[in-house]
Amino acid sequence: MNRKALRTCTYGLYLITSRKGERLNGQIANTVFQVASDPATIAVAINRQNLTHEFISDSRAFAASILSQDAPLSFIGLFGFQSGRNVDKLKDARYELGGTKVPIVIDYSLSYLEAKVVDQLEVGTHTIFVGELVGAEILREGEPMTYHYYREIKRGTTPKTAPSYIEEKKEAKSEMEKYECTVCGYIYDPEPGDPENGVKPGTPFQAIPDDWVCPVCGAGKDQFEKV
Ligand code: FE
């Protein structure tokens, strides 16, 4: 069995938000899909360990912001690699409250869907929440971020808690040495560099300024190890 076949499935990239009492939280998910048309119903798979899972279980509602291709890795990293148990992820985000009172994040979002949970299915590490659509709006024009674009073009990584996580054996050979973030698994590759954060293509790791941080999770340069 070649699990890499799973990689050929196509997905988007979404910011899933919910609330518990006065607390708000959100996380990245690649699995949001419409499952019925009348009434319009969507589903999302959320890891049972995640704080957002606890919030959706409590409020029985969630929103999904459809992320744009121009969403920076730092934004995706904040929601995808940090836990709401340690940081207030919505502190600097622009959001409004939907009819169900869940936060709907506007930043880097093309549109949003808001749903109230009508059913759920436990699947191994994850719960599939099924939600009836109670709100939806288009915010602006643009290209939606696909999971493929995130991984291949933006060179983003996947946390171990994602349904699509596949353990990778890192390739060793390269003329210019690659460095891996020990926090999130992001690989710094000198060939493309990190132009989004001012590091030109062809910059060896040693030549990156010391205040540069992991574009995905924000870890410092000292948290990187040679691959
Ligand atoms: Fe990182």
Side-chain angles (χ1 to χ4, degrees), residues 181 183-186 214 216-219:
C181 173
V183 178
C184 77
Y186 167 83
C214 172
V216 176
C217 76

Side-chain angles (χ1 to χ4, degrees), residues 81 157 180-187 213-220 223-224:
F81 285 91
T157 55
E180 179 178 2
C181 173
T182 54
V183 178
C184 77
Y186 167 83
I187 306 273
V213 294
C214 172
V216 176
C217 76
Q223 309 247 50
F224 278 69

Side-chain angles (χ1 to χ4, degrees), residues 95-163:
Y95 63 87
E96 45 193 57
L97 295 181
T100 64
K101 297 282 189 285
V102 299
I104 296 163
V105 173
I106 307 301
D107 294 322
Y108 308 110
S109 301
L110 299 178
S111 55
Y112 70 82
L113 309 170
E114 182 188 4
K116 62 170 188 199
V117 173
V118 292
D119 208 348
Q120 70 186 71
L121 176 67
E122 306 306 321
V123 189
T125 51
H126 284 64
T127 299
I128 298 175
F129 290 104
V130 178
E132 201 176 300
L133 208 62
V134 293
E137 211 61 67
I138 290 174
L139 301 167
R140 65 180 170 95
E141 298 281 304
E143 285 294 316
M145 176 95 79
T146 62
Y147 191 57
H148 180 265
Y149 187 91
Y150 167 70
R151 287 194 59 94
E152 301 302 321
I153 311 295
K154 298 195 82 93
R155 307 183 51 76
T157 55
T158 304
K160 290 196 169 96
T161 51

